[in-house]
């Protein structure tokens, strides 16, 4: 009898443990995905984008007139920005999440060298504020609009 009870308990525990291990792969929140993206920019970590972005992701920067589609184009956009602003610092101050949509308010600052609306500049300190609207899918950025 005792062996039957222990066998029954063992089978019950085994049966309940199996579904738990299969459902433990959680998709990160939109906030976590966006925080990883911002961190990759701040670290200038181009390789990190391979996991953070969906293969057909879009980063649309309305102020700069940029519509980058796909990981390679987004990396190219990132590289171009960092060339002119090597000390770029992007800080998110507020997040709002609703399902797959995350909205973030942020500030950025850097020292800019390159062409400006007033002509070429060298090592000019710049900063600004903005908002990003981000759609995530399966734990990756699908579309980000600044």
């Amino acid at each position: 009898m005792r062996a039957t009870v222990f066998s029954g308990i063992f089978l019950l525990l085994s049966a309940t443990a199996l579904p738990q291990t299969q459902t433990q792969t959680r998709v990160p929140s939109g906030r976590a995905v966006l925080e990883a993206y911002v961190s990759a920019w701040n670290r200038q970590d181009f390789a990190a984008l391979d996991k953070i972005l969906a293969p057909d992701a879009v980063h649309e920067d309305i102020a700069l007139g940029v519509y980058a589609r796909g990981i390679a184009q987004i990396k190219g956009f990132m590289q171009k920005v960092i060339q002119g602003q090597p000390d770029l610092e992007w800080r998110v101050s507020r997040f709002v999440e609703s399902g797959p949509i995350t909205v973030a308010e942020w500030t950025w600052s850097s020292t800019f060298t390159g062409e400006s609306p007033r002509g070429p500049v060298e090592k000019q300190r710049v900063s600004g504020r903005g908002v990003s609207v981000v759609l995530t899918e399966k734990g990756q950025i699908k579309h980000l609009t600044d």
Side-chain angles (χ1 to χ4, degrees):
M1 173 77 172
R2 190 175 214 169
T4 304
V5 171
F6 284 126
S7 296
I9 291 171
F10 176 76
L11 288 173
L12 181 63
L13 290 174
S14 297
T16 59
L18 183 60
Q20 288 176 351
T21 57
Q22 292 175 347
T23 60
Q24 286 182 353
T25 55
R26 291 183 31 171
V27 174
S29 69
R31 176 181 177 155
V33 174
L34 182 55
E35 285 177 328
Y37 188 61
V38 168
S39 178
W41 272 79
N42 288 337
R43 295 186 328 269
Q44 301 179 21
D45 185 355
F46 299 95
L49 300 187
D50 294 334
K51 291 182 181 180
I52 298 167
L53 298 170
D56 60 345
V58 170
H59 184 140
E60 184 176 16
D61 190 312
I62 295 169
L64 295 176
V66 171
Y67 187 89
R69 177 181 291 277
I71 296 171
Q73 285 186 8
I74 295 171
K75 284 181 178 181
F77 168 58
M78 181 181 179
Q79 185 176 27
K80 185 175 179 182
V81 169
I82 290 172
Q83 276 180 332
Q85 302 175 60
D87 61 346
L88 177 84
E89 185 176 18
W90 187 6
R91 297 286 171 229
V92 179
S93 56
R94 188 176 319 177
F95 291 93
V96 177
E97 289 184 90
S98 180
I101 304 292
T102 302
V103 178
E105 183 178 352
W106 45 262
T107 58
W108 61 269
S109 60
S110 69
T111 307
F112 177 72
T113 297
E115 287 297 320
S116 78
R118 296 181 291 227
V121 295
E122 189 173 329
K123 297 183 181 178
Q124 181 175 352
R125 196 73 186 144
V126 293
S127 64
R129 295 177 55 208
V131 172
S132 294
V133 179
V134 182
L135 171 65
T136 57
E137 184 178 272
K138 298 178 185 173
Q140 295 179 310
I141 292 175
K142 181 77 172 169
H143 194 114
L144 182 146
T145 301
D146 293 330

